[in-house]
C-alpha cells in the first residue's frame, strides 16, 4: 500500500527482463497527439503511477519530437531506481509537416537516436529500447544488431520491437534476445493474434499492448473525433473514429456497458480487464500501457487489474473486434498486419 492506494502486482517482463507492475503507463498523451495538456495535472499523474505500483513508463523520441522525453526527465531523475524506463526510435517527424512520418532503421540512425534520447531523458542507460516501426528496406539483422551493440556498450539494458509480425519477431530474437513486443491490442484491435502473439508466447517475450482503451474510444469519452475533439487531436485522422465508422463502432460498446454495470466498474476497466486476461488465454506475460493525464483515471485503470471477467462475459466481448468499421491508421503499411496482408 502507498498513501492508502493498493498497489498492483508485479510480473517479470520477458525472460530475464525487469520486474514491473502488471500495468504500465503510456506517456505519449502528456505532450503529444491529444490536444493541450495541463502540465500540473500531468505531473501529478506521473507521481500517482508509483503510488499505484505502475513502474513501467513508456515514451518515444517521436512523441512531441522529443518533448515527451524531456518532460519525463525530472520525474525519472527523482525516481530512477523505482522506474523501468522504456523509449523508442524509428519514426522520424518533420517540423514543416506535422502529419509526416518516416521510418528509419539503419544502424547509424539507431546510434544517433539513442544518444539523443539519453540526452533528453538525462539518463546513462535506457532500461528497454524499442524499434518503434519496421523498415522492410533495412535488413532486420542489421537493425537489431545495432541495437545489440548498445546493450554491450551499457547504453541499453533490454531490447523491444513494436508492430512486427511473428516471423519478424523470431528473426530478431535469433540475433539478440527480445524482451518485449509492443503493438496495439484491445477488444477493438486483435490483428496481432494472427502471428505475433503466438510467436511471443513461444519465445518467452512479454507483450506490451498500446492503446488498450482504443485511444479513449472504449471509455465512451467521445463518439465522433471529427466533431468532438480539438483540431490538434490526431484521432481525427483515424478512420474508425469519424463519420459513419464512428457511429457504427459506438454501438459495439453496449456489451462493455452491460458488463461494467454488473461489476460496478467503468467500460475502461472492463476493456483493460479483457486485455489482462489475454495472458491466461495465450500463455504469455501481458503488460498494457494505457495513458492518461489525470490521477483519477490512472488509479481507475490500475484497479482494473483486480477485475476478472467470467467465461460468459468474455464470450459477449469476443465478436466485437471482427465488427469494427475502419482501420487503425489511414496507412496500415507500417503495421504488422499491413505486412501480413
Amino acid at each position: 500500500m502507498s498513501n492508502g492506494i493498493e498497489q498492483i502486482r508485479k510480473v517479470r517482463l520477458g525472460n530475464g527482463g525487469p520486474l514491473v507492475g502488471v500495468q504500465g503507463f503510456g506517456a505519449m498523451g502528456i505532450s503529444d497527439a491529444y490536444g493541450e495538456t495541463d502540465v500540473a495535472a500531468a505531473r501529478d499523474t506521473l507521481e500517482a503511477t508509483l503510488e499505484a505500483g505502475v513502474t513501467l513508463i513508456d515514451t518515444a523520441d517521436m512523441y512531441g519530437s522529443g518533448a515527451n522525453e524531456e518532460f519525463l526527465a525530472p520525474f525519472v531523475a527523482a525516481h530512477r531506481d523505482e522506474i523501468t524506463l522504456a523509449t523508442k526510435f524509428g519514426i522520424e517527424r518533420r517540423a514543416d509537416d506535422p502529419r509526416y512520418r518516416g521510418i528509419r532503421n539503419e544502424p547509424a540512425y539507431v546510434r544517433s537516436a539513442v544518444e539523443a534520447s539519453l540526452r533528453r531523458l538525462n539518463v546513462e542507460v535506457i532500461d528497454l529500447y524499442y524499434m518503434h516501426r519496421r523498415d522492410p528496406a533495412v535488413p532486420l539483422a542489421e537493425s537489431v544488431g545495432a541495437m545489440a551493440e548498445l546493450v554491450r556498450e551499457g547504453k541499453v539494458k533490454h531490447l523491444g520491437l513494436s508492430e512486427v509480425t511473428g516471423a519478424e519477431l523470431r528473426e530478431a530474437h535469433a540475433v539478440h534476445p527480445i524482451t518485449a513486443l509492443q503493438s496495439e491490442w484491445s477488444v477493438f484491435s486483435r490483428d496481432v493474434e494472427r502471428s505475433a502473439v503466438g510467436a511471443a508466447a513461444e519465445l518467452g517475450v512479454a507483450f506490451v499492448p498500446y492503446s488498450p482503451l482504443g485511444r479513449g474510444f472504449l471509455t465512451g469519452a467521445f463518439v465522433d473525433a471529427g466533431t468532438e475533439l480539438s483540431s490538434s487531436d490526431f484521432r481525427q485522422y483515424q478512420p474508425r473514429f469519424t463519420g459513419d465508422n464512428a457511429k457504427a463502432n459506438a454501438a459495439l460498446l453496449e456489451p462493455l456497458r452491460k458488463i461494467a454495470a454488473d461489476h460496478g466498474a467503468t467500460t475502461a476497466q472492463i476493456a483493460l480487464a479483457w486485455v489482462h486476461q489475454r495472458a491466461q488465454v495465450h500463455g504469455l506475460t501481458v503488460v498494457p500501457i494505457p495513458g492518461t493525464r489525470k490521477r483519477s483515471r490512472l488509479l481507475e485503470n490500475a484497479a482494473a487489474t483486480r477485475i476478472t471477467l467470467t467465461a460468459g462475459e468474455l464470450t459477449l466481448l469476443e465478436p466485437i473486434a471482427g465488427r469494427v468499421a475502419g482501420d487503425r491508421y489511414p496507412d496500415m503499411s507500417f503495421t504488422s498486419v499491413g505486412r501480413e496482408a
Side-chain angles (χ1 to χ4, degrees), residues 151-162:
V151 176
R152 289 191 288 271
E153 293 170 10
K155 297 179 186 295
V156 169
K157 290 183 180 180
H158 304 280
L159 302 185
L161 301 173
S162 180

Side-chain angles (χ1 to χ4, degrees), residues 96-277:
D96 61 349
D97 183 0
R99 294 183 65 185
Y100 173 80
R101 301 288 187 271
I103 310 299
R104 300 282 301 274
N105 287 176
E106 64 271 26
Y109 183 80
V110 176
R111 182 161 294 277
S112 65
V114 77
E115 295 294 350
S117 286
L118 288 167
R119 184 173 59 254
R120 285 189 294 263
L121 289 162
N122 193 28
V123 295
E124 294 183 356
V125 60
I126 293 165
D127 299 316
L128 176 58
Y129 198 46
Y130 288 100
M131 178 193 294
H132 205 165
R133 291 293 185 273
R134 165 96 169 95
D135 179 3
V138 179
L140 193 55
E142 291 185 12
S143 303
V144 178
M147 295 169 72
E149 288 180 9
L150 302 179
V151 176
R152 289 191 288 271
E153 293 170 10
K155 297 179 186 295
V156 169
K157 290 183 180 180
H158 304 280
L159 302 185
L161 301 173
S162 180
E163 289 285 356
V164 297
T165 66
E168 290 168 338
L169 178 59
R170 289 188 179 91
E171 181 182 351
H173 195 74
V175 176
H176 187 280
I178 302 300
T179 296
L181 169 59
Q182 180 177 144
S183 292
E184 186 165 354
W185 199 8
S186 74
V187 72
F188 255 39
S189 301
R190 298 178 61 179
D191 50 67
V192 292
E193 294 174 23
R194 294 188 184 186
S195 71
V197 170
E202 172 191 321
L203 298 171
V205 175
F207 209 104
V208 178
Y210 73 78
S211 297
L213 297 177
R215 302 195 185 278
F217 194 83
L218 294 173
T219 71
F222 71 97
V223 173
D224 191 329
T227 60
E228 297 177 48
L229 304 181
S230 72
S231 59
S232 60
D233 195 308
F234 91 123
R235 287 172 289 189
Q236 293 189 55
Y237 308 110
Q238 293 185 295
R240 60 179 50 172
F241 298 145
T242 58
D244 290 340
N245 284 348
K247 292 178 183 177
N249 292 336
L252 298 176
L253 299 183
E254 192 52 39
L256 277 170
R257 293 191 187 94
K258 180 186 182 302
I259 296 169
D262 290 343
H263 281 265
T266 65
T267 57
Q269 289 175 319
I270 299 306
L272 285 170
W274 182 91
V275 174
H276 280 289
Q277 284 183 241

